[in-house]
Amino acid sequence: MAVHQFQTEVNQLLQLIIHSLYSHREIFLRELVSNASDAIDKLKYLTVSDDAYKAIAFDPAIAISFDAEKGELTVSDNGVGMDEADLVENLGTIARSGTRRFMEAMAEDKRRDSNLIGRFGVGFYASYMVADEVTVTSRKAGADGAWVWKSDGKGSYELEPGQRDGHGTTIVLKMNDDGREYLNRWRLEELVKKYSNHVAYPIRLAYDEDEYDDKGKKKGSKVHKDEQVNSAQALWRRPKAELKDEDYVEFYKNIADSDDEPLLWAHTKAEGTIEYTTLFYIPSKAPFDLYHADYKPGVKLYVRRVFITDDDKELLPTYLRFVRGVVDSEDLPLNVSREILQQNRVMSSIRNASVKKILSELKSLSENDKDKYAAFVAEFNRPLKEGLYGDYANREALQELVRFKSSSVDGWTSLADYKGRMGDEQKAIYYIAGDSEDRLRKSPLLEMYRKRGVEVLICPDEIDDIVMPMVGKYGDLELKAVNRAGAEKEFEDKLDEGKAKDLAPVIERIKKALGDEVKDVRLSARLSESPSCIVVDADDPSIQLQQMMKSMGRGGDFEVKPILEVNGDHALVARLAASDDEALASDVARVLLDQALLVEGVALKDPAGFVGRINRLIAGA
Ligand code: ADP
C-alpha cells in the first residue's frame, strides 16, 4: 500500500467546499451520479469509435445501495473506470488551470452557491461534506486488475491493487453524522428524482423492505428490492407535447450544473435532408467564466444518442458561449473527430440553423416579455455586441437585439426605438463611446446635442469602440461617433464667419504653443459651456482605444495626436485674445489641452505642471 499526499490545491479546495457548500451538501449525490454517467458516456463512445473496445458489450447502469447499520452508501457504475495513474491524476490533483479561479470565485462569492461546483471538476470532493472516509475501487475497461483509492480527505490518500468484477467504478462513502440522513430509501429516491431524473442511463436503487403477510401484518422478515428510480430518457428525444416546464427546468439544472432556473429554452426537431434535435437554454445568470479565454462551452454534442463531446467551442459561435444545451444529430458519423466537425457540412448547417433559432427566440422574448428581456440584456448584451462584430450573416437580427444606454431615456433602448424618436431633420444615429457611463454622460462633446435635443447613445463597453464603427449602419442610417471630427457637421451652427476670422490669430497662437502635441487646433461649433474638447479624425482610433492599446503594451502602434477644439465664447479664450503675453498664451493653451484630456479619463503626463498653470491663471485673474 502506498500513501500519497494530495496536491496542495486539493486540500484548499476540500476546505473551501466543506465550508462554503455545507448547506447544499445533498448535491454530493448528483455529483457522483454525474461522474458515473460521464464514465459510461466515455466507454460507450470508445466502443463505437475505437476498434480496441469494440468487443466490449455492456448494459449501462448506475447502482446506488446503502447499509444503515454500517453507515455506508455505495454508488457504482460500469463505465470506463480508472487505472492507477488515472486515480492519482483525477482524484489526487486538480488538473485544470481553472481551479484556482474557482477557488477565488468561491472566496469572493457572497451567495456561496453551488453553481460553480462541477464546472471545474471539483464534484467528487463534495462527498467529504457527508462522509468521513471515501473508498474508490475502479477497474479500467480493457485492464485486468482493479485499484483501490482511499482517503479521509485530510491531506493524503492510500492507493493499492484490489479486486472488482468487470470494468467500472464503485465508490463507498463512510457517512459522518451529517451524512446519515441519506442512508434512507425515500431520501435517496427523492434526490435522484430531483437532480438526476434525466440522466440517460438507468439509476437503480437497492434497499431492503419489511415483508407483510396477506392481512397487512409485518412478518418480521425483509425482502431485497432493486428498482430503477430515474426516467433515464434522453429528454430532448421526447415529443414536446409530453414534456412539462418542470422537466425542462430539471434537465437544465442537470446539464448546466446550476441551481438557477433558465430564462428561456428552445426545443427543435428538424426533419428533412438533415435530421437532428436541439434543445437550447439561455441561463438567467451569466456563467462566471463568460469573459475568460478558457471558458467551458455549454453545448453537448450527441450522435444518435451517443455522447460525443461537451468541449467543442465550434458548436455555436463564440458570442453565444453562454447558451447551454444539447445537439443530437442523426447524420454525423459516430467517430467524428474535432477536425472533421469543423469542416463538416452537416455540422455547419446545424450550427447555422441553431444560431438563427436562438436569435429568433430572443427576438420573440424582446417583443413578448419586456421584463424578461431586460434581465437577459443585463447579463448578455455584451456578448451579443461581440456577435455584431463577428457574425456578419446575422448582423441585422443582432442589431434588433442589442440594447444601448441613451442620453434621452432611462434604462436600455433599441436602435429601432431610437429611430422612432428621431426628428425629421436628423440624418444619422449618434453615439459616444468610452470607458465609463458616468464620464460619457458628462462629456463636453454632448453639449451641442443636448442643446438641440438630439439623442446620443452612450456606449461604455470597452468593445463599443471597435464594434460601433464596424457596424457602420442601421438600415440606411449611419452610426456616427460624436467624438470624431465631422460628426457635428449636419447640426453645425454656421460658425459666425466674422468671429472665426477674429479668433484665427488666437487659434494660431494656441497651435504654436502646443507644437506637435496636437494634430490640429480648431474653433469648435459643438461646445457651449466647456472651454475645450478632444476629437479624432474620422479614421483615427479614439482616445479610449489608444488608452486600451497602451495598457496592453501596444501604445506605439496606435498613438495618434488628438485634435483640440476650442470654444470661442469661453472667458479663457477671450482672456488670451486680449493679451499678447506669450507666457500666458502657453499656460492657457496647455490648460485647454490638459483639461480636455482629463475629462476623457486620460492620466496627464505632467499633473504637477497642470496644477502650476492653473494656479498661475487663477492668481493672475
Ligand atoms: P469532474 O467530474 O467535474 O471532472 P470530479 O472531481 O468529480 O470532477 O472528478 C475528477 C475526475 O475523476 C473526472 O473528470 C473523471 O476523469 C474521474 N472520475 C470521477 N468519477 C469517476 C467514475 N465514476 N468513473 C470514472 N472516472 C471518474
Side-chain angles (χ1 to χ4, degrees):
M1 186 196 77
V3 177
H4 301 248
Q5 299 302 311
F6 280 124
Q7 191 188 25
T8 331
E9 274 94 344
V10 176
N11 288 319
Q12 293 170 4
L13 193 58
L14 270 162
Q15 287 312 309
L16 201 65
I17 291 173
I18 291 169
H19 290 114
S20 52
L21 295 177
Y22 186 70
S23 55
H24 293 280
R25 57 190 179 281
E26 66 183 27
I27 61 156
F28 81 93
L29 191 66
R30 167 182 88 185
E31 299 300 318
L32 292 179
V33 167
S34 143
N35 282 346
S37 160
D38 289 348
I40 296 172
D41 276 345
K42 280 182 200 154
L43 183 56
K44 268 192 101 180
Y45 175 59
L46 286 172
T47 60
V48 294
S49 63
D50 186 333
D51 285 339
Y53 295 86
K54 284 233 157 84
I56 299 180
F58 74 115
D59 230 349
I62 299 165
I64 301 175
S65 59
F66 60 93
D67 183 327
E69 273 155 39
K70 279 199 193 148
E72 287 180 359
L73 177 75
T74 303
V75 178
S76 101
D77 66 70
N78 55 359
V80 70
M82 291 176 276
D83 59 17
E84 183 185 15
D86 294 335
L87 284 163
V88 171
E89 168 82 11
N90 295 335
L91 305 185
T93 66
I94 297 172
R96 310 243 185 94
S97 63
T99 306
R100 189 175 294 279
R101 287 220 206 92
F102 163 77
M103 298 207 285
E104 286 162 6
M106 283 299 279
E108 279 168 20
D109 187 5
K110 303 287 176 299
R111 291 181 300 149
R112 299 265 181 228
D113 63 25
S114 53
N115 291 346
L116 296 174
I117 219 172
R119 303 277 298 148
F120 278 98
V122 293
F124 168 78
Y125 302 110
S127 301
Y128 287 99
M129 290 188 290
V130 294
D132 287 331
E133 184 181 81
V134 181
T135 307
V136 180
T137 305
S138 194
R139 178 164 159 190
K140 192 163 181 160
D144 288 336
W147 285 87
V148 182
W149 179 104
K150 187 196 271 194
S151 174
D152 60 5
K154 301 212 167 73
S156 66
Y157 60 92
E158 295 165 7
L159 198 54
E160 61 185 341
Q163 290 292 318
R164 191 183 194 280
D165 288 339
H167 54 81
T169 302
T170 302
I171 298 181
V172 179
L173 309 187
K174 194 140 191 46
M175 292 307 217
N176 60 24
D177 289 343
D178 289 324
R180 292 202 152 265
E181 63 167 298
Y182 303 106
L183 300 172
N184 170 297
R185 174 200 164 186
W186 303 110
R187 190 80 173 96
L188 288 167
E189 191 172 331
E190 176 201 336
L191 289 185
V192 170
K193 288 225 156 77
K194 177 167 171 192
Y195 293 114
S196 315
N197 199 28
H198 291 289
V199 165
Y201 308 108
I203 301 171
R204 308 191 67 86
L205 178 63
Y207 57 92
D208 291 323
E209 200 173 56
D210 289 322
E211 256 190 312
Y212 293 87
D213 64 18
D214 300 343
K215 301 195 178 73
K217 254 189 80 190
K218 231 189 229 179
K219 278 173 150 184
S221 54
K222 300 218 179 225
V223 274
H224 188 70
K225 294 234 170 141
D226 184 353
E227 259 174 18
Q228 179 173 334
V229 283
N230 66 331
S231 78
Q233 285 200 35
L235 170 121
W236 63 91
R237 300 283 308 168
R238 291 171 54 192
K240 274 196 215 181
E242 270 182 26
L243 292 164
K244 296 201 280 296
D245 284 0
E246 299 94 270
D247 296 322
Y248 283 113
V249 169
E250 189 242 29
F251 184 67
Y252 168 78
K253 290 184 176 181
N254 241 295
I255 58 159
D257 243 314
S258 167
D259 289 333
D260 293 331
E261 305 260 317
L263 194 72
L264 174 80
W265 58 85
H267 188 185
T268 314
K269 189 167 161 79
E271 279 160 337
T273 35
I274 300 176
E275 271 182 48
Y276 60 89
T277 304
T278 55
L279 172 54
F280 293 122
Y281 292 90
I282 308 289
S284 50
K285 298 234 168 59
F288 76 94
D289 61 355
L290 187 60
Y291 300 114
H292 295 168
D294 58 351
Y295 70 92
K296 192 168 184 322
V299 177
K300 295 180 194 247
L301 176 68
Y302 287 77
V303 172
R304 294 188 285 288
R305 258 90 52 231
V306 177
F307 170 80
I308 306 292
T309 176
D310 62 356
D311 193 29
D312 198 300
K313 297 192 172 181
E314 304 286 326
L315 292 179
L316 285 178
T318 322
Y319 74 93
L320 292 177
R321 60 192 177 276
F322 54 86
V323 174
R324 302 290 178 249
V326 171
V327 171
D328 189 352
S329 157
E330 299 295 315
D331 305 300
L332 286 168
L334 273 168
N335 57 355
V336 64
S337 71
R338 194 166 291 232
E339 294 68 37
I340 292 176
L341 265 185
Q342 280 173 17
Q343 317 150 353
N344 188 282
R345 266 190 30 247
V346 172
M347 199 56 237
S348 68
S349 57
I350 294 178
R351 179 180 143 124
N352 291 341
S354 298
V355 174
K356 294 220 157 31
K357 177 73 190 164
I358 293 167
L359 298 184
S360 81
E361 288 293 325
L362 289 171
K363 180 89 196 306
S364 341
L365 185 72
S366 75
E367 289 159 359
N368 303 329
D369 193 336
K370 302 261 183 257
D371 288 348
K372 253 192 180 177
Y373 195 70
F376 168 79
V377 166
E379 298 287 318
F380 301 114
N381 200 40
R382 193 187 134 162
L384 286 192
K385 283 191 198 158
E386 293 173 28
L388 268 184
Y389 177 81
D391 188 355
Y392 190 78
N394 293 296
R395 185 169 288 171
E396 282 179 17
L398 284 160
Q399 282 189 338
E400 299 302 339
L401 295 175
V402 291
R403 294 290 181 265
F404 297 91
K405 295 288 177 57
S406 145
S407 64
S408 310
V409 292
D410 287 335
W412 299 94
T413 186
S414 65
L415 290 174
D417 289 345
Y418 178 108
K419 189 176 171 185
R421 286 188 294 266
M422 272 170 53
D424 293 341
E425 74 289 358
Q426 194 178 331
K427 300 284 181 307
I429 292 177
Y430 296 95
Y431 70 90
I432 182 166
D435 59 3
S436 141
E437 184 178 339
D438 191 42
R439 191 151 55 219
L440 291 176
R441 287 187 182 280
K442 291 178 186 151
S443 169
L445 292 166
L446 297 185
E447 287 169 12
M448 183 196 67
Y449 296 86
R450 204 175 294 124
K451 203 163 122 195
R452 301 190 154 249
V454 172
E455 177 171 1
V456 178
L457 298 175
I458 310 283
C459 302
D461 265 345
E462 62 188 15
I463 58 166
D464 288 330
D465 234 330
I466 303 167
V467 170
M468 300 300 274
M470 273 288 298
V471 176
K473 278 187 152 184
Y474 173 65
D476 49 9
L477 289 172
E478 225 178 302
L479 302 184
K480 286 191 176 173
V482 304
N483 63 342
R484 296 198 178 264
E488 78 292 3
K489 284 278 188 298
E490 73 176 79
F491 295 105
E492 200 164 309
D493 283 315
K494 283 269 169 280
L495 271 175
D496 182 333
E497 282 196 18
K499 193 165 174 193
K501 215 167 182 183
D502 290 349
L503 287 174
V506 181
I507 298 293
E508 231 10 80
R509 279 167 74 197
I510 297 174
K511 203 185 286 186
K512 204 169 132 223
L514 294 176
D516 62 1
E517 300 224 11
V518 289
K519 192 167 175 179
D520 198 6
V521 179
R522 295 172 190 162
L523 193 58
S524 184
R526 62 181 111 204
L527 296 173
S528 56
E529 293 122 52
S530 306
S532 59
C533 66
I534 297 281
V535 298
V536 293
D537 264 336
D539 300 324
D540 283 345
S542 72
I543 303 289
Q544 278 74 27
L545 194 59
Q546 294 180 45
Q547 295 270 91
M548 202 165 101
M549 289 302 167
K550 208 184 244 164
S551 72
M552 288 161 61
R554 298 203 32 211
D557 307 358
F558 285 86
E559 197 149 340
V560 182
K561 303 257 163 6
I563 298 168
L564 180 68
E565 284 197 0
V566 174
N567 180 352
D569 295 330
H570 198 274
L572 209 47
V573 178
R575 202 160 138 201
L576 184 54
S579 152
D580 55 9
D581 179 351
E582 283 318 299
L584 176 75
S586 158
D587 277 354
V588 170
R590 300 296 319 230
V591 165
L592 287 173
L593 176 62
D594 283 353
Q595 64 179 354
L597 287 169
L598 271 179
V599 290
E600 290 283 337
V602 177
L604 296 182
K605 284 191 196 109
D606 178 18
F610 175 70
V611 172
R613 278 175 220 114
I614 289 276
N615 285 318
R616 277 201 295 279
L617 287 174
I618 296 172

